[in-house]
Amino acid sequence: EDVEVLHWWTAGGEAAALNVLKEDLASKDIGWRDMPVAGGGGEAAMTALRARVTAGDPPTAVQMLGFDILDWANQGDVLADLSEAATAENWDAVIPAAIQKFAKPNGTWIAAPVNVHSTNWVWANKAVLDELGIAQPTTWDEFIAALQKVKDSGKVALAHGGQPWQEATIFDSAVLASGGPEFYQKSMIDLDPEALNSPEMVAAFDKMEQLRGFVDDNFSGRDWNLASAMVINGEAAFQIMGDWAKGEFLRADKVPGTDFLCFRVPGTEGVVTFNSDEFVMFKQNDDAAKAAQIEMAKAAESPEFQSAFNIVKGSVPARTDVSDEGFDDCGKQAMKDLKAASEAGTLLGSMGHGHANPAAVKNAMYDVITAHFNGEYDSATAAEELLNAVEGAQ
Amino acid sequence: MSGGAQDQAIRTGRVTRTFIYVVLIFFALFYLLPFFIMLINSIKPLPEITGGNMMALPTDPTIEPWKSAWSTAQIGVEATGLKPYFMNSILMVVPAVAISTILGALNGYILTKWRFRGDNLIFGLLLFSCFIPFQIVLIPMAMVLGKIGLAGSLTGLILVHVVYGIGFGTLYFRNYYAAFPTELVRAAMMDGAGFFRIFWRIMLPVSGPIAVVCIIWQFTNIWNDFLFGVSFGGLDAQPVTVALNNLVQSSTGVREYNVHFAAAILAALPTLLVYIVAGRYFVRGLMAGSVKG
Amino acid sequence: MARSDRAPQDMRTTLQNWLPKLVLSPSLAAMMVFVYGFIIYTIYLSFTNSKMLPSNEIIGLENYTRLFGLSAWTTALINLAIFASLYIVICIAIGLLLAIFLDQKIRGEGVLRPIYLYPMALSFIVTGTAWKWLLDPGIGLENTMHLWGWESFKFGWIKDRNYAIYTLVIAAVWQSSGFVMAMFLAGLRGIDNEMLKAAQIDGASNWNLYRRIVIPLLRPAFLSAFVILAHLAIKSYDLVIALTGGGPGRATELPATFMYSYTFTRNQMGVGAASAVIMLMGVAAVMVPYIYAEVKESR
Amino acid sequence: MPFLDIDNVTKSYGNVEVLHRVDIGVEEGEFLVLVGPSGCGKSTLLNMIAGLENITGGTISIKDRVVNDVHPSKRNIAMVFQSYALYPNMTVGQNITFGMEMHGIPKPEREQKLAEVAKLLQIEQLLARKPGQLSGGQRQRVAMGRALVRDPDVFLFDEPLSNLDAKLRVDMRTEIKKLHQRLKSTIVYVTHDQIEALTLSTRIAVMNKGYVQQLGTPKEVYDTPANMFVASFMGSPSMNLLPATLREANGGLAAELTGAEGQQIMLNLSQNGPNLRSYLGKPVILGIRPEAITDADGVDRNAKNTQALRNMVHVTEPAGSDTFVETSLSGKACIARMRADVDVHAGQPFDFVVNMDKAVVFDPETEDRIVD
Amino acid sequence: MPFLDIDNVTKSYGNVEVLHRVDIGVEEGEFLVLVGPSGCGKSTLLNMIAGLENITGGTISIKDRVVNDVHPSKRNIAMVFQSYALYPNMTVGQNITFGMEMHGIPKPEREQKLAEVAKLLQIEQLLARKPGQLSGGQRQRVAMGRALVRDPDVFLFDEPLSNLDAKLRVDMRTEIKKLHQRLKSTIVYVTHDQIEALTLSTRIAVMNKGYVQQLGTPKEVYDTPANMFVASFMGSPSMNLLPATLREANGGLAAELTGAEGQQIMLNLSQNGPNLRSYLGKPVILGIRPEAITDADGVDRNAKNTQALRNMVHVTEPAGSDTFVETSLSGKACIARMRADVDVHAGQPFDFVVNMDKAVVFDPETEDRIVD
Ligand SMILES: Nc1ncnc2c1ncn2[C@@H]1O[C@H](COP(=O)(O)OP(=O)(O)OP(=O)(O)O)[C@@H](O)[C@H]1O
Ligand SMILES: Nc1ncnc2c1ncn2[C@@H]1O[C@H](COP(=O)(O)OP(=O)(O)OP(=O)(O)O)[C@@H](O)[C@H]1O
Ligand SMILES: [Mg+2]
Ligand SMILES: [Mg+2]
């Protein structure tokens, strides 16, 4: 029996990591039918998925993120029930509750979480910081001062790509830095109108404005990895980006701690905004396919795969009981943070990556954030518009 | 069009001619520029690209990117390069172009030579279908394909392309056949030939020029299609554009621009070839049919 | 006159009368289902509360109200107006210019023509990256000019909210103007040579010859070019995705990208369908008169 | 019943009637020419015989079989089209045998027939060529060959010569005539060239605006045209139609005309029947053919009623074999045909001689010929 | 030097020479017709005069000015094209005034000229129409109007009538003739219709394969053709060219021919010069025009040298005004033109009368006429 897997992990490292899973399944006589659809953070893949589901021919497993999963879960009877695998492997215990919110939305396991990315990281070029005598900042103001210092030196302070999702990534941190996790929960996840148009939100937008001042003129449309490259090359000092950026540094033979630094965005320590890739399982009709699907879920959730995959991918395992052996320093740090945040209840879904609110709301927020970042609104207006947009999209 | 047969009706002075050549060459450079960039960067090693001038000629040319793009680049889980997807595209394009062209020819033949009440309305309806934005048909099309059991199959994909190719095919052939003497059809009828025999023996053999236009048009459209391929291609029928997209749009990791460019050129090679080889019949075919000058 | 011996219609005659309709019917049926059926379905969807997948809950005109309340949609419409008018006008101008020049018995026409035409063969999936590079001030034309010593050269439109839409025009013109050229060239080659001779005998300079005689005679080619370009402009999608992704901000959003994103990435299929219906109405406004004329002419 | 019977046939496009109750019978072996100005319905009628157009009213029968609803390919008719309609993608040989192939005639028989016809038409050496490589006259012969191999009941020709240049047209005309004389086939032939009509036909149907104006032998049509339309349509240059007044003169009848300088001219008529007499004193139209107006030397020696007439010459047109002279009578241009050498000059008066044997008279109101 | 001088002009396309050293002088007010079969180079020559084709060798001058390198718009020439080349996007009025507009003539003057010309050509009521709404004859007049308003040094016409039907062609021919007589303009006129050539021209240049075969008045060309090509090209039906042997007879010369049944026929020639005598006993070609072979009653009463001749009739073609009779002489078909009423029947012998006054004799080798 085969499993059909729709995903957008087509880059070399990711695909190699997936191969681990593929081979694991092969050893159980389960074939892997690959359906990669790259582009736009899975947008194209979601379109293709919709076509396949509408046609009544869904794939076995689909790489999916955040609220897309919930949307599908609410579409009625299209997803599979993975309870068998979950019980066997005791997923309830080892997977953080915040992630279960997506993988087990209505009390049944429908998805196998593969990894957890955290998005509130700063990546910094150590050589540049050393040269300018900048220490790792620990508060927002220190961060701003450091950025200013870099800017004064003539280098680009903050490497950034002008794409809505990248701006939203920064915005996650800005909200956290200005209001803390409760405010984040209220505004981004609960979508409380008062929180959305509040002084804290205005402050968050002010922070965005501050950051905007440290970005070079040529940022619009730039891909995130090019921004990373600027940090790697020493053209720029900092980048705020999810942990996938680490891969770029590693691939350029940079060593964490010596060549580059990774630290939480100042002002967001103790909080982890995450996004989690999961294999959502679609309901299969015949028993053999169902069995293969369960096997795949088990394999995806096995510590071996979780470890192997996430070492390559730069993220951390979705289950908290995996050994950190083999992970680099940043990875080890991330695993620790995750566990701590999960226990403290500060593991929060990233708005920028669709783990805080539904796609419609997310995109509506994108619109406002991007418009503000590009100077269309001042902060007060932006906060108002944010409320309007969210209400409009609901 | 060889210039020789047609005498030059308009005389131009030497200065004007020089100016004309300058303008023509300027535009040729403009049209070539993107392709030039793709080409030279596809034979540079990666560091030379990231570190150098986009327009500089390669100092250390290599064909590695091409090899990689063709056979070893990572498309999904497998590092197959574009090679297998090429076959998919060909398997899709050839029947889709053939069927839609033949249907277009038959429709054009009927709408000009076997006229009946309401034929113009039908032609109008067919023509309008050329202009429907494809995004809106995705969901209903998926439903229909699922219902008829062709979802995710090559056959289904071919069906989709044929359906949306009929409109232009009919337009081209109808305009061409409109100028074709009806007396020939009548003569064949008097000779005792029926509907199909007139088509095969009389109409089709003289449809060369317009068939070229139609085939070029359908070929490029179908070959370049991404949306239908990704939505309806399923697992085994993913065309090369989807593979190219997977290669170029991969979300993380080092961007191997040289490989991307090589892959892009490879993916475009068949259409380029079609334009260059058949291009000279294109204007002639347009003259014969679709544009009434 | 014995009328009784009037022969009944024989089999073959009957068959021959029905065959054309029979052969046409699959195409027609396909059209009815796959085009008009789908259009009706889309119209239906635009009145429903469809989100991620189609739903049957009718909510009246709400989607339309919402659509026109969205500033992004307004932006998309304005962008389309700017983009389409520039794109059509420039394509036609360049196409006509090149066609006229190429028609002067140019040596090397056989080489130039495919060069002008080839962009039509390439989709923006293929050329998108190259275009992005070219237009990017950091690595593209601007940078190259700087490297070549022209320090004051500035070409950063793609990064500028107010100008990005024009970079789309440049790339779109690059793709289609060669095809327009071919259409005009075909038109030019179809003009009776004697007419051109007559005008010269009448004393017309080359300029007047083109202005007064040739260009008016190319009317049908203008019309065909306009229709093809107009519908390409309305359907433009790949271009935007490949070049700007709709940015900076939403400065280059077009109705087609808007429709796609609402239907497929924002899970608001109802609003997406409503925007599709508006787009279809736009297409129809351009196409129906043309189709009517096309059909009328053959009578 | 005639071999080919066109009985009360009407044709309408939408609600425009383009043929009105046409009634023509064609006997076996006859050569019927349909002639008339452009748009008068000739092709339409031919197409209806061939089955290429529906018949709105009336019946057409061939060999006593009503063919109204018979498919063209079943009518055993062969047609030669104005543009020849040769299949451009086939060789001459294939063009000719295509019809036989369609009728399932075996190859050896086809070959043999082809050889025969090719010999008859002298196109043996052209059989392997494509139509594009043939001259107009050769194409015409191939088109004819295609019809001939079929051995049909009726041949239909739709202006087969109108695409040829004048010289070739004359040659081909003679060939068609010879062919008909040899094969004795039944032919319906459309033309708008009156010379072709007169030389080829055994009978002519002159049509105008969807009506048959006259049906008769060439001689009948030429000498006793049914009305002014037929009179002016047949013959080149066409019959002079001169306003006149009918007078009594010398015991007979005479037409009174006005010369170029206003002088009164009386031309005695050969007719003197009661019908004509009833027009006495009234305006009539006198029809005289150009060849009936000559000089004294050129006049037909067998003519019984010739009359002299002095009038001013306006234009002279020497045309090699003849000289055409334009004068004016009763305010209308009047053409005379003279010998080539005649001594006539524009701007001078000249002594014309008119042969009144074949002069005809028309009623100016109905435009019909006044039958004596 | 002539008004329009074509001096030793050659034209080559690539290395194919299509016009060979053409030498024609046209005086002011002359009406020169270029005539010849298709592809002989008529249009090419005309286009060279107009400046629409380059001149490979030789010079063309108008009014003593060499125009080889003068742009067409600067030659002060007007041209009427075969297809009329009316601008379909302009009204009739705009078509006619376009040339004046291009020459910067002010509007009131244009209007006035337009009115004049429109009146002359009787197209006043058509001025607001587009060419697409005109009949063939009307288009022809508009094309002519366009040329007329220009008041050019030379008018060029390239087969302006060949698109018209026979009847209209005759009418338009007369109009062109009248126009020339009134305006006294210099005209070069291309046609391949010999009737047009003969009736319109003051001089004719007969061309074949890029050579001028004969240049002369219509009468010269018709009566004393320079060679067999000219003889057979001019006149319709064309001159009978019969193989004969030159004999001495009755003190003069005679041509010996063979009748249809092999009987010997002697026709006395009017010529008796030394040139011709040198052919005694040798084969020659005897040229007799169809209108010179008639019946006893039809023969020209002014003819001096008429001879009877009994021969078998093959085909008769009554053509209204005349009857054409085909017989055979010396194994060649020979056409005779008779009166309409002549009593002649195919398959029976007939007493022909031949008018030998205008018979001509050709050398069978060189095909040139043997000048007496
Ligand atoms: N399909 C049609 N619809 C309407 N009217 C038509 C159609 N076909 C022909 N007619 C009209 O019928 C009349 C007769 O046409 P037909 O072709 O028989 O003329 P014709 O005598 O053959 O003329 P010509 O000598 O120009 O060939 C014309 O007035 C024409 O306009
Ligand atoms: N551009 C050209 N290149 C080569 N040969 C040419 C060209 N134009 C004309 N010819 C040749 O020159 C010869 C004379 O052509 P031209 O058009 O003058 O003939 P014409 O006498 O006008 O014939 P028609 O009566 O058919 O119009 C022809 O043999 C033709 O094939
Ligand atoms: Mg007709
Ligand atoms: Mg010519």
Side-chain angles (χ1 to χ4, degrees), chain E residues 213-226:
Chain E
Q213 300 282 342
Q214 186 168 7
L215 177 62
T217 64
K219 199 170 161 59
E220 280 165 14
V221 170
Y222 193 79
D223 288 343
T224 55

Side-chain angles (χ1 to χ4, degrees), chain D residues 13 18 37-44 159 192:
Chain D
Y13 288 109
V18 297
S38 189
C40 70
K42 307 180 295 288
S43 298
T44 305
E159 312 200 17
H192 58 230

Side-chain angles (χ1 to χ4, degrees), chain B residues 183-184 186 188 190-191 201, chain D residues 47 83 85 87 89 101 150:
Chain B
E183 287 191 345
L184 277 179
R186 297 185 151 183
M190 306 290 305
D191 271 344
R201 299 285 303 273
Chain D
N47 284 335
S83 59
Y87 311 127
N89 54 309
E101 195 185 333
R150 292 273 317 283

Side-chain angles (χ1 to χ4, degrees), chain B residues 242-290:
Chain B
V242 174
L244 175 66
N245 179 67
N246 288 342
L247 178 65
V248 176
Q249 298 281 329
S250 56
S251 51
T252 54
V254 181
R255 299 216 160 183
E256 296 184 280
Y257 287 111
N258 50 1
V259 178
H260 295 181
F261 283 131
I265 298 177
L266 276 173
L269 222 48
T271 46
L272 279 178
L273 222 63
V274 164
Y275 261 78
I276 289 165
V277 171
R280 59 213 207 85
Y281 302 104
F282 194 67
V283 174
R284 204 174 304 173
L286 280 180
M287 259 182 85
S290 54

